[in-house]
Amino acid sequence: TVKYGTVETYAALVAAEAKKASVPVCLHLDHGSSFELAMQAIHAGYTSVMIDGSKFDFEENIALTKKVADVARVLDIPCEAELGKVGGKEDTNTDPQEAKEFAERTGVTSLAVAIGTAHGFYAGTPVLDTERVSEIRQMVEVPLVLHGASGLSDDQVRECVKRGMCKVN
């Protein structure tokens, strides 16, 4: 979305509309691509950030994510991250042991994991590794996030939630 406006513009729009809401409103940066963008969003008033270092190797993803999570923690802002390749091939699904290490080393407050979903539209019927959700849930203490749910059936989403997904995008 940053190609259509600035984080400051979006924050101002949401703040104006939030004043009319009867429920609490948060503004979440989804798939932040850099430390700088995450900091711009936080400075603009975003109340939650997601840093997506999944395009990097494991150690680079940890370094970037930890840097954002450390700032977010000091400011009491939730920080989500992504591990694995959502929309990737089966061998890019999140490894449960890596998920444990990643969450512990970065200090994120939630973790998006790859189990066979994809961002955007599906070309075919998605095949989910729901057992992997259970395995990751057993190893990781932070809430798990399911990205790419727009093309899933209600039953698939329910199964993922049953196995430990806490947030569904």
Side-chain angles (χ1 to χ4, degrees):
T1 58
V2 292
K3 65 182 174 183
Y4 302 112
T6 67
V7 292
E8 293 82 10
T9 300
Y10 295 123
L13 287 168
V14 170
E17 293 302 312
K19 289 178 186 175
K20 303 174 200 173
S22 61
V23 296
V25 175
C26 77
L27 179 55
H28 175 71
L29 174 68
D30 201 27
H31 293 280
S33 57
S34 68
F35 175 79
E36 294 75 20
L37 179 59
M39 295 306 104
Q40 286 174 343
I42 289 171
H43 187 266
Y46 283 54
T47 54
S48 175
V49 294
M50 188 247 190
I51 184 69
D52 185 354
S54 64
K55 66 183 174 220
F56 301 117
D57 71 30
F58 186 66
E59 289 300 326
E60 289 174 301
N61 191 354
I62 285 176
L64 171 61
T65 301
K66 181 174 179 7
K67 194 172 171 183
V68 174
D70 285 349
V71 173
R73 185 179 317 96
V74 169
L75 299 172
D76 200 27
I77 293 173
C79 180
E80 178 182 331
E82 186 169 312
L83 182 62
K85 300 272 191 280
V86 174
K89 305 284 187 249
E90 186 176 322
D91 64 346
T92 61
N93 281 351
T94 304
D95 175 88
Q97 186 61 46
E98 283 188 353
K100 178 182 185 337
E101 181 181 350
F102 185 89
E104 290 172 352
R105 288 178 59 191
T106 61
V108 293
T109 55
S110 61
L111 182 61
V113 295
I115 60 158
T117 57
H119 297 111
F121 297 102
Y122 287 91
T125 304
V127 178
L128 305 183
D129 187 350
T130 54
E131 181 59 33
R132 187 174 300 264
V133 178
S134 299
E135 292 168 5
I136 295 169
R137 176 75 277 148
Q138 289 175 359
M139 308 219 35
V140 175
E141 293 184 17
V142 299
L144 300 179
V145 182
L146 179 66
H147 280 232
S150 56
L152 302 181
S153 70
D154 289 349
D155 287 341
Q156 286 174 306
V157 173
R158 281 189 202 95
E159 182 65 20
C160 289
V161 169
K162 182 177 124 184
R163 289 176 174 268
M165 288 293 185
C166 299
K167 176 184 170 204
V168 177
N169 289 18

